[in-house]
Amino acid sequence: MRKIFTGMIVLLLVPMCPLVFKQGASCIGQVYGQERQWVVTGKVSDRQAREAIEFANVVLYNSADSAIIKYTATAIGGEFTIEHDKSGDYYLEITMIGYLKEQISLPPFTASQRSIPLGDIRMEPLANELGEVEITGQKRQIVYKLDRRVIEASGYLSAAGGTAVDILSQTPSIRVDAEGQVTFRGSGGFKVYIDGKPSSLDGTTTLEQIPAGQIENIEVITVPSARNDADGTAGIININTKKQTTEGWSGIMNMMGSTALSRSADFLMSLRQKDIRWQVSGEASRRYRNSDFDQLKTITTPEMITTDQSTGTRERYTDNFMLRTGFDLYKNNTTWTSSVEGRYSDRWSGGKLNYYDTYRIPGTETITSASYKGDDFVELTEWHLRGDVGFDHRFDNEGHRLTGALYALYQKDALEYFETNLYDPAGNREQGHKAWEFEYRFTAQANFDYVLPLSKPEDKFEAGYQFFSYTEDGDYKIDLYDPEAGEFVRRDDLYNRYLFRRDVHAFYAMLSNTRSRFSYQIGLRGEYTYRKLGNNLKWAEHVWHKFGLFPSAHLSLTLPGNSRTSLSYSRRITQPQLFYMEPYVVYVDYYTAQKGNPFIQPEYTNSVEWGYNKSFGNHTASGTLFYRARTDKIERVRVPYHTGVTLDSMANVGSDYASGAELSTTLMLKNWWSFDANGSLYYYKVKNEYKIDGRDAESWNWQLAVNNNFDIGKNTRARLEAYYVGPSVNTQGRVEDFFYINLTVRQQLFNRRLIASLSVRDMLATAKYKSTQSNLQVQSLTHIIPQAPVFTLTLTYTFNNFRIQQREERISHDLFEGTNR
């Protein structure tokens, strides 16, 4: 029986071994763990943090010709083992994103020296977090951890002068719509963290406010563990900003301008002296998105069939003015952190449109028509002040730690102003709306986390508590134009006053363990949510509270042949934002109104993901299979409001399902030419369980990014990017595919202290957005053509004495303006 069982294990594992691998012995030998004559072992850790570094690259080289002999990666606890069966002279190189390369000379492999234990290898964090890019032509590095992937994103060519959106949107399955809204695998329910601290704003708004030049790397957590906040069905995006680790001053400054009239300037300065670090950063920017707009809308009611053709231009800009400072103190195994941020933002979107309307009474053939001119805009201005404090205490035994953090955010004088104006061809006013929404918001969160190492540091028990509270006090007024009086009149019957509060108490526990090549992490999180909406409309008032359990599991197995596979599961929730629930009507333009739903329910999602990644020489490849099932899907639903006007409201439309694959590869074709590509293909289905005048829908969605990097000279690099984004569906319509090409050239000057980048976005002007929405009473067809091509010039200057680091490039699809119309 034992022989039969062992044979079955061999038959199961042999197919997973590499078919072709230049180094090493046979696959059967690998499966049985056949002993090699020489074994090199060690453990890799962070010199400053004293933490194990997982998935670092460990390569064995021949000293004679520097040929690669063997390759492996460190396990969850930082350990590695390399075996070889030939005597000779060799050396070891260890590399990892964010650390200086370690090169270790090994004693000769002789008959008397079969085991070479290297012990603890301490890697030094890069002393050039604020440095710029050296053009080396080396491969891109993406680190795959047990529950996330880490992308070194701070220097992507096309992101220069941009934001986090410009870095992230090349990631497989991320899509940016014509309004700049980011969705991931068909869902906008993701959370954004900055340096491990949750942002208080929605995901897309946060990403648009983080300058790309201040980002060190980005962690994409598609299946978060129980340690993380359960809110966000699509996962978590953690933005790690640049920090200084060596003593002295350093800094970086960026300036950007474009033919779309976008411009920005940001800076980051840091001082590190012994046990303290002080950092200050700031930004002043205005970013535009301009488009031509064409929409045909038909609205059917028992009284009238109205067809409206609207054409014109739409414009959107975002102003950001930010100043942030932080202070860290390292004392007696404890790190104390504090920071303060002040920000003013102004988000404006609007357009000038020409309307041609036709009207027909059902059952008749008589058609009347009318022409109008209109303009509309929505503007949101606000100030906010945020403070953070925290501590991280490390006990004497490795991996034993207690951390705590608290943040508070006050958003003052937030004003959202809406205005629509409708004129006849002679310029006489026909209709109009003016509305004001005044808001005061307060957000607070506190959390404590405890980590207890078990038999070894990588085997650990974790537990924690988190409290979150959000309060908003709002006041809404609207004036409607009275044609008979010839003036705007306050509508007291449409006045709305509300007070909203959401509190969340959460506890979690997790267990992690590593055994040789196998690692696992299991956890359970419990959350109690209390929600109360007070409103002068008594029908809209309600109290909602619920307790939920959110388990997670992550498994990882290191396979022979420089490859690794993982399996993950997580249950998540997306809490509806307050503007989904606001029970009053606002006008986006004269023919498009919006209203919230006070009784909207949260979304719940179960996600499963299998991943595989492999390195071979200077090349890498990875793949992911995923399945996501979501219930109580929140979606905007369009219905008739009154003659010629549609109303968009939020509803739990039913369930949706997504299953598919993501693939990426990086190839070094020549010393001066590297090629990388990523793509996704997934099947998406919406089951409209409640039949809110919609329908079931399904589609195959796919997108592909192909990028070529060319090192033209020692200090010159060019990047050519091609993107195809496939069609997608929802319960009421479909968004068609689009395609575009970007080109960027970068030149480094003055010993690489000054860097100039020139990019051409959508250089062939092929990006065109087309969407359809339809149900029994409303049909609409929308075309949006963005301003193209757009030329952008970015200048970056660094001052410090650090070595120059290697980084890479990405781009965004935020090309269109005007989809929610």
Side-chain angles (χ1 to χ4, degrees), residues 195-463:
D195 294 325
K197 302 172 183 177
S199 168
S200 55
L201 304 176
D202 68 87
T204 298
T205 302
T206 301
L207 295 175
E208 289 180 334
Q209 292 184 354
I210 305 175
Q214 297 184 14
I215 299 173
E216 181 64 26
N217 59 54
I218 298 178
E219 297 176 316
V220 180
I221 310 172
T222 53
V223 186
S225 68
R227 182 192 307 111
N228 302 111
D229 187 348
D231 194 11
T233 55
I236 291 173
I237 295 172
N238 183 41
I239 309 293
N240 291 311
T241 59
K242 296 176 181 178
K243 298 178 181 63
Q244 182 55 22
T245 59
T246 58
E247 293 193 4
W249 282 95
S250 62
I252 184 170
M253 294 183 293
N254 302 285
M255 296 183 66
M256 177 274 292
S258 78
T259 55
L261 301 183
S262 295
R263 61 266 193 189
S264 71
D266 64 84
F267 72 93
L268 173 62
M269 293 191 300
S270 181
L271 172 65
R272 177 69 185 267
Q273 288 185 342
K274 295 184 179 180
D275 296 332
I276 66 170
R277 177 171 61 200
W278 174 76
Q279 191 162 290
V280 61
S281 60
E283 177 198 11
S285 65
R286 170 170 285 195
R287 305 178 192 278
Y288 280 96
R289 185 181 298 119
N290 304 324
S291 298
D292 292 328
F293 181 85
D294 186 344
Q295 184 178 76
L296 178 65
K297 186 189 298 185
T298 300
I299 304 169
T300 302
T301 65
E303 298 80 19
M304 186 70 67
I305 299 174
T306 305
T307 299
D308 169 61
Q309 178 80 47
S310 55
T311 59
T313 59
R314 298 215 63 86
E315 179 181 298
R316 177 185 176 190
Y317 70 78
T318 301
D319 288 343
N320 266 307
F321 301 91
M322 179 273 294
L323 185 65
R324 179 192 299 119
T325 185
F327 181 82
D328 300 341
L329 174 65
Y330 309 91
K331 204 73 172 178
N332 300 326
N333 292 339
T334 303
T335 301
W336 301 92
T337 62
S338 61
S339 65
V340 177
E341 175 184 297
R343 182 185 295 272
Y344 172 78
S345 64
D346 182 355
R347 285 173 280 173
W348 188 98
S349 63
K352 295 182 181 297
L353 301 176
N354 295 313
Y355 300 97
Y356 178 73
D357 297 350
T358 62
Y359 310 94
R360 182 170 65 87
I361 299 175
T364 71
E365 300 298 326
T366 302
I367 298 177
T368 59
S369 64
S371 297
Y372 303 97
K373 294 181 180 180
D375 60 74
D376 60 83
F377 70 92
V378 178
E379 184 173 21
L380 173 60
T381 59
E382 63 181 346
W383 291 87
H384 90 221
L385 179 66
R386 172 168 173 158
D388 291 78
V389 294
F391 72 89
D392 183 350
H393 178 72
R394 301 170 188 272
F395 298 92
D396 291 336
N397 48 328
E398 185 177 358
H400 191 191
R401 61 193 296 190
L402 175 66
T403 61
L406 168 68
Y407 86 82
L409 171 70
Y410 178 57
Q411 293 167 284
K412 180 178 181 292
D413 296 333
L415 170 61
E416 192 164 7
Y417 177 70
F418 306 81
E419 182 175 323
T420 68
N421 299 290
L422 194 68
Y423 307 94
D424 65 20
N428 301 309
R429 180 183 293 275
E430 293 280 342
Q431 292 290 347
H433 312 85
K434 294 181 180 180
W436 298 261
E437 183 178 352
F438 298 90
E439 299 169 352
Y440 293 87
R441 311 185 192 106
F442 181 76
T443 309
Q445 179 170 305
N447 59 275
F448 296 92
D449 303 276
Y450 178 69
V451 180
L452 176 67
L454 301 177
S455 57
K456 48 185 179 179
E458 58 270 21
D459 298 342
K460 56 190 176 182
F461 170 78
E462 302 176 63

Side-chain angles (χ1 to χ4, degrees), residues 185-200:
R185 294 174 180 171
S187 172
F190 61 90
K191 298 290 286 186
V192 176
Y193 284 61
I194 304 173
D195 294 325
K197 302 172 183 177
S199 168
S200 55

Side-chain angles (χ1 to χ4, degrees), residues 648-720:
D648 295 345
S649 187
M650 308 304 296
N652 294 109
V653 298
S655 303
D656 69 351
Y657 310 88
S659 57
E662 298 170 348
L663 300 172
S664 63
T665 185
T666 301
L667 305 175
M668 289 299 302
L669 303 178
K670 299 287 184 180
N671 290 335
W672 50 270
W673 178 18
S674 65
F675 169 89
D676 61 85
N678 68 68
S680 64
L681 172 66
Y682 64 96
Y683 173 73
Y684 181 71
K685 181 178 181 179
V686 181
K687 186 176 181 182
N688 188 28
E689 296 173 349
Y690 303 107
K691 303 300 178 187
I692 307 176
D693 206 12
R695 63 181 186 279
D696 294 347
E698 57 185 325
S699 69
W700 284 95
N701 301 269
W702 67 285
Q703 60 191 71
L704 178 65
V706 178
N707 308 305
N708 288 271
N709 299 290
F710 304 97
D711 293 340
I712 301 173
K714 181 180 179 181
N715 296 314
T716 307
R717 170 173 286 183
R719 179 173 171 89
L720 182 65

